[in-house]
Amino acid sequence: FLWMISASFKDQNEFFKNKLGLIPQNPTFDNVTRIWEKAHFDTYFINTVIVTFFAVFLVLIMTMLAGYAMGRYNFVGKKVVMMVFMSSIAIPLVSTIIPTYEVIKSMKLVGTKLGLILAQAGGAHVIFLLLFSSFFEQIPGELEEAAKVDGAGSWQSFFYVALPGLGSTAFLVLVLSVI
């Protein structure tokens, strides 16, 4: 990575003369300006930022809400659902590429930003769901009961009781999703 950054600040002669050197002798910004102007790198960069932002946003929302349901509520089949999620970790992500493409193709979203966002956000994010689930499971039930006594509904209980302490877990999921 460092070599790649270093090479971008070398002119062509210096690059071939001193291939493995990390520090350019005569740093130049010609390569950087050329890639922004002639290769339309600004468009690619903006597209990457847009897709990353919305994909990470969707992953955060989906895994947070699913983690809340799995961590706070007891329902029939909860253990089976958790076992399915846990066992899905063993499925290699590579084996889901073709089915994901087929779903995006059936939705007629191939070649669109929305298709790319959905493909990125719909991947294997079970670890994030388990992180959120274990976080929400640790919140004392008395806090939600107190909120309900005060007249809070399920969504208000989620936003005012569970969400405020979620910062570090949400930040971890955010960083890992961007990577």
Side-chain angles (χ1 to χ4, degrees):
F1 180 77
L2 292 175
W3 178 83
M4 188 172 56
I5 299 291
S6 171
S8 69
F9 292 108
K10 295 178 181 179
D11 63 8
Q12 192 171 10
N13 292 332
E14 184 180 352
F15 176 77
F16 287 113
K17 186 173 129 186
N18 186 12
K19 293 179 186 177
L20 299 177
L22 279 181
I23 300 173
Q25 294 171 352
N26 299 316
T28 178
F29 283 96
D30 292 342
N31 295 331
V32 177
T33 56
R34 186 171 32 153
I35 197 169
W36 277 92
E37 292 171 358
K38 293 186 179 176
H40 306 291
F41 192 75
D42 54 343
T43 304
Y44 305 140
F45 181 75
I46 290 169
N47 287 344
T48 301
V49 169
I50 290 169
V51 168
T52 302
F53 174 80
F54 285 108
V56 168
F57 178 75
L58 278 176
V59 166
L60 269 173
I61 297 299
M62 288 186 312
T63 56
M64 189 183 316
L65 292 176
Y68 184 73
M70 297 302 288
R72 297 304 302 161
Y73 298 111
N74 291 320
F75 53 89
V76 177
K78 178 180 175 179
K79 288 186 180 183
V80 173
V81 171
M82 286 301 275
M83 290 303 289
V84 168
F85 282 140
M86 295 285 275
S87 62
S88 72
I89 293 174
I91 300 171
L93 189 59
V94 173
S95 66
T96 64
I97 291 174
I98 293 174
T100 302
Y101 174 78
E102 290 297 325
V103 169
I104 297 299
K105 186 170 108 177
S106 71
M107 296 169 68
K108 298 184 181 8
L109 293 175
V110 173
T112 65
K113 286 185 189 101
L114 180 60
L116 187 56
I117 290 167
L118 292 177
Q120 289 290 330
H125 303 294
V126 177
I127 299 293
F128 304 150
L129 184 138
L130 295 174
L131 277 170
F132 282 124
S133 176
S134 64
F135 171 81
F136 289 125
E137 205 172 283
Q138 300 302 317
I139 296 174
E142 292 82 12
L143 290 176
E144 283 190 349
E145 289 174 17
K148 286 182 182 175
V149 167
D150 289 342
S154 296
W155 284 104
Q156 289 173 323
S157 177
F158 173 73
F159 283 111
Y160 295 117
V161 174
L163 212 55
L166 193 62
S168 59
T169 306
F171 183 73
L172 174 66
V173 169
L174 177 100
V175 169
L176 292 176
S177 294
V178 169
I179 290 174

